[in-house]
Amino acid sequence: MRILLGVSGGIAAYKVPSVLRALREDGHAVRVIPTRAALDFVGRATWEALSGEPVTTSVFDGTESVDHVRLGREAELVVVAPATADLLARAAAGIADDLLTATLLTVTCPVVLAPAMHTEMWLHPATQRNVATLRERGVHVIDPAVGRLTGADSGPGRMPEPHQIVDVALAAAGASGATDRDGGDLQGLQIAISAGGTREPLDPVRFLGNRSSGRQGVALAATAAARGAQVRLVAANVDSSVLGVVPDGVQITSVETTAELQEAMLEAAASADVVVMAAAVADFRPAQTRTEKTKKHADGSVESLELVQNPDILAGLVSGRREGQIIVGFAAETGDADGSVLDHGRAKARRKGADLLAVNAVGADVGFGDVPNEVHLLDASGSDLGAGGGTKDDVAHVVWDAVVRLLSSRSGSETPTVSTSAAGRLSG
Ligand code: CTP
């Protein structure tokens, strides 16, 4: 695929060579178009060396080939990272005072913008209006992440991580992009994924919940979409900054409680080829939800809380599974006196009966090595199908690679279609 990578003048530009590298390693031809200010952060030589293509900033360079028109016509995907407040404003207004903004006016392919700026600039009504205008025109503007900004400040405005930008961009490019990247090996599949953690209300202001951010489920959704699947994401209390990297085209249903998650997943599973339960589900809920705020007694004591068990959604999905449907569960385990992480994982795999259970170690007792997040994949009998890991995206690809192998073996194909980019991720 021919990709234009625009870079505008923000400090986050220093991370964008990683975006360029990832796109190149996936086999795409990438032409970088920085703004003049962007070159103050990362120089022309870096972009030229990493892209293998000439780098120009002005419409007066390359006039013999009318670059802004030619590049725009040839492009199959445009990614701008970081997109500063100024770049968003110029793009929204249709101003064309450099090669990047002039090219944005000539392209007809998908355009993905990854904003990065201080929180005040992001939240300013002018910027929000510009983002709304661009979105109305079909431009995919990724919500910035919440986190540390240039100075001591932190808040919404941080550029999403390079791998997230790449996933969103390739998913936005649609099936053709996915085909180039991963063989589009999930194309034609409907996949339902749960993410986040359920909350059980005690009263109007309190709930029982857990710390799940939803990032693993969101990574599963983004990577599945990038590999060509039609994805439905059921998000339990996932922050909008985390959901911001979910590509267009992924249908999101937001839920709060286990009962709501169960209803949404049962509905999504009815037409899904693959179902993944990545959400952390509250095992118990209060027997009663009060309509008024629970008060302390005059002596400072509180009534004890009666809990009732929630349904096991995964077990229900397994018992009601459609023919041929693949069901995947996740289990975060710690080792203890009764057994290792894998012992507990194997017992859970047999108990749950899912086709795949992705088991990872959590807490101080990390039993699987020192990569950020390593999973062992177990089948329904508890047999180890291999391990892999790294980032949440890497873990997601490990899961999809296993799903692809399972589908291939079921269809009797002699040469399982394991994606090339995923080759080597799973070592068993
Ligand atoms: N799960 C579910 N419904 C529940 C609890 C868990 O669907 N009520 C799913 C999770 O989404 C996950 C898998 O089951 O895919 C394992 O979750 P985990 O919390 O590890 O399992 P539990 O059955 O709750 O076991 P434990 O006793 O270890 O808490």
Side-chain angles (χ1 to χ4, degrees), residues 74-101:
E74 288 173 1
E76 291 162 87
L77 169 68
V78 178
V79 186
V80 182
T84 59
D86 177 66
L87 187 281
L88 294 174
R90 289 190 290 143
I95 292 170
D97 56 354
D98 60 11
L99 184 58
L100 177 55
T101 48

Side-chain angles (χ1 to χ4, degrees), residues 3 26 38 41 56 93 108 144 148 164 187 191 195 197 201 207 268 271 278 287-288 295 321 365 382 409 412 424:
I3 300 177
D26 268 348
F41 293 95
T56 50
T108 51
R148 177 89 194 270
Q164 294 173 321
Q187 203 143 19
I191 299 187
F207 58 82
S271 56
Q288 283 170 352
K295 299 277 188 205
R321 148 174 51 198
D365 174 21
S409 64

Side-chain angles (χ1 to χ4, degrees), residues 277 279 281-283 311-314 329-333 348 351-352:
M277 278 296 298
V281 183
D283 286 322
D312 186 327
I313 302 173
L314 180 60
F330 268 76
E333 298 288 345
K348 191 167 287 181
R351 205 165 65 236
K352 298 271 181 179

Side-chain angles (χ1 to χ4, degrees), residues 44-86:
R44 188 187 305 267
T46 302
W47 300 123
E48 287 188 340
L50 291 177
S51 69
E53 303 226 16
V55 167
T56 50
T57 60
S58 158
V59 281
F60 297 108
D61 299 319
T63 41
E64 72 288 355
S65 54
V66 201
D67 262 357
H68 64 291
V69 179
R70 181 181 62 83
L71 292 173
R73 283 206 187 120
E74 288 173 1
E76 291 162 87
L77 169 68
V78 178
V79 186
V80 182
T84 59
D86 177 66

Side-chain angles (χ1 to χ4, degrees), residues 15-37:
K15 294 190 197 164
V16 178
S18 303
V19 175
L20 172 54
R21 278 201 104 117
L23 293 171
R24 293 272 288 150
E25 278 167 12
D26 268 348
H28 304 292
V30 186
R31 170 84 183 236
V32 183
I33 311 182
T35 63
R36 268 180 296 276

